[in-house]
Amino acid sequence: MPTAPTYTRTTTFVGGSTGSPSTWGALRSVIYNRTLSGSPIASSGGVGGHTVDYDHGFQTTNGNGLIRTEGGFLYLGTAGSGPNFNAYITSGINAKFSSDYEASALGWITNEDRAQLTGETVALSSGSITMAASAFVSPFQTFTASSTPTINTIGKLTAF
Amino acid sequence: MQINPGYGYSFTSSGGGHNLTIDQPWFPWPIIEEDLPPFTIVDESVGATYKFRAVPGMVNSTIPQIGITADATKRLDQLPIPTTTFNFDATTHYSYIYLKVSWLSGSPDMYPVTDQTDILYPRVISTSMENVSTDDSGYLLLATAYQEPTTNVITIWQLTTGSQWTDRLKTGTDTARYYFATA
């Protein structure tokens, strides 16, 4: 089970003070793909620069895959936990599919988005599963996998 | 009737009459730009020189320049009020007036660019065609202008006004997307 990174909210916004920005872009984020290595944020993405390049995550074919969240890079000021999906081996062939760092009623992915995502087909590097509501709540959704999986698609969301 | 002492004036009376003296005239009066919303486009054409200005506004707390050259004297709040030339399409006779906000790669990245000597500094520009945002620049269409080809009369359609707040988001290899919100 990965360890949650720490973050601080240091984003500067209108008026020069710090706090919670409320602009459209600041309150959106891609869903991170934690089955890929490295930071989802491009190394050139500047903190507080009102710009961010996502190196990997999930996006729709005709859109950008951004979801409404307070876990976005521009909101947090650093690449924090953020909305994400993960799949990993726990022991042997036992594996878990999870949206890490979520709580039952509050998290980076809103309840509305959770409801839409639940039931979607998750295509893994080997095989597929149907996302269950338990993916959002520890101890998360279980499945079996012969090797460490990566997530290719989740319904309309495609890994990039 | 009795007039009591007050701030900024004195009052004296004598057998010859009454004197009201203003101690410190409130002059010069501040010149206040007309009460138009930020980024309102105003026609400043003179004769056959077709140009315009933009009412000062901010994008991410930065006041843009006007025109296509990096020139601090062209910042919208400078005096004399800076203007730039309309750029009309020869066929459609339309001009598109944008707030252009650019991104500069670095460590960290900069968006918007805050160096006034940099051509990437935010600016209001007129182009003869519609612009599509790129990885480097986002365009917010402020107004369109049409010049009647026989009379040369210019009509301006103001599409949006107000200071702006903007973010730039890029996913993977897709072209960056720009989000503007009225501040």
Side-chain angles (χ1 to χ4, degrees), chain B residues 4 23 92 103 118 129 136 168:
Chain B
N4 295 316
D23 294 340
T92 67
W103 161 82
D118 195 320
M129 62 183 66
D136 296 334
R168 172 187 177 276

Side-chain angles (χ1 to χ4, degrees), chain A residues 13-14 23-26 30 44-46 49-54 59 63-64 66 74 160, chain B residues 60-61 103 105-106 108-112 165-172 174 177 179 183:
Chain A
F13 66 112
V14 172
T23 54
W24 198 100
V30 298
S44 63
H50 316 293
T51 176
V52 56
D53 289 24
Y54 292 102
Q59 62 184 11
N64 51 26
L66 300 174
L74 294 182
F160 67 87
Chain B
N60 289 25
S61 299
W103 161 82
S105 178
D109 288 9
M110 190 181 293
Y111 177 82
W165 189 253
T166 179
D167 297 315
R168 172 187 177 276
L169 300 179
K170 178 175 170 63
T171 53
D174 285 359
R177 297 164 192 262
Y179 301 94

Side-chain angles (χ1 to χ4, degrees), chain B residues 120-147:
Chain B
L120 298 177
Y121 185 82
R123 57 192 60 256
V124 175
I125 60 171
S126 166
T127 63
S128 61
M129 62 183 66
E130 294 181 71
N131 282 268
V132 177
S133 293
T134 65
D135 271 354
D136 296 334
S137 297
Y139 296 88
L140 177 66
L141 186 58
L142 299 172
T144 57
Y146 174 79
Q147 185 175 43

Side-chain angles (χ1 to χ4, degrees), chain B residues 38 40 77 100 111 118 144 155 180:
Chain B
T40 299
D77 64 337
K100 178 184 180 184
Y111 177 82
D118 195 320
T144 57
T155 301
F180 290 90

Side-chain angles (χ1 to χ4, degrees), chain A residues 12-93:
Chain A
T12 300
F13 66 112
V14 172
S17 58
T18 58
S20 302
S22 57
T23 54
W24 198 100
L27 294 174
R28 265 71 176 176
S29 173
V30 298
I31 300 174
Y32 301 161
N33 185 354
R34 292 182 56 82
T35 63
L36 299 181
S37 60
S39 170
I41 309 298
S43 57
S44 63
V47 175
H50 316 293
T51 176
V52 56
D53 289 24
Y54 292 102
D55 266 1
H56 58 71
F58 297 98
Q59 62 184 11
T60 55
T61 302
N62 297 319
N64 51 26
L66 300 174
I67 64 167
R68 179 168 55 91
T69 181
E70 290 189 353
F73 176 80
L74 294 182
Y75 182 83
L76 298 178
T78 63
S81 308
N84 69 90
F85 282 113
N86 197 4
Y88 50 95
I89 299 286
T90 53
S91 66
I93 62 169

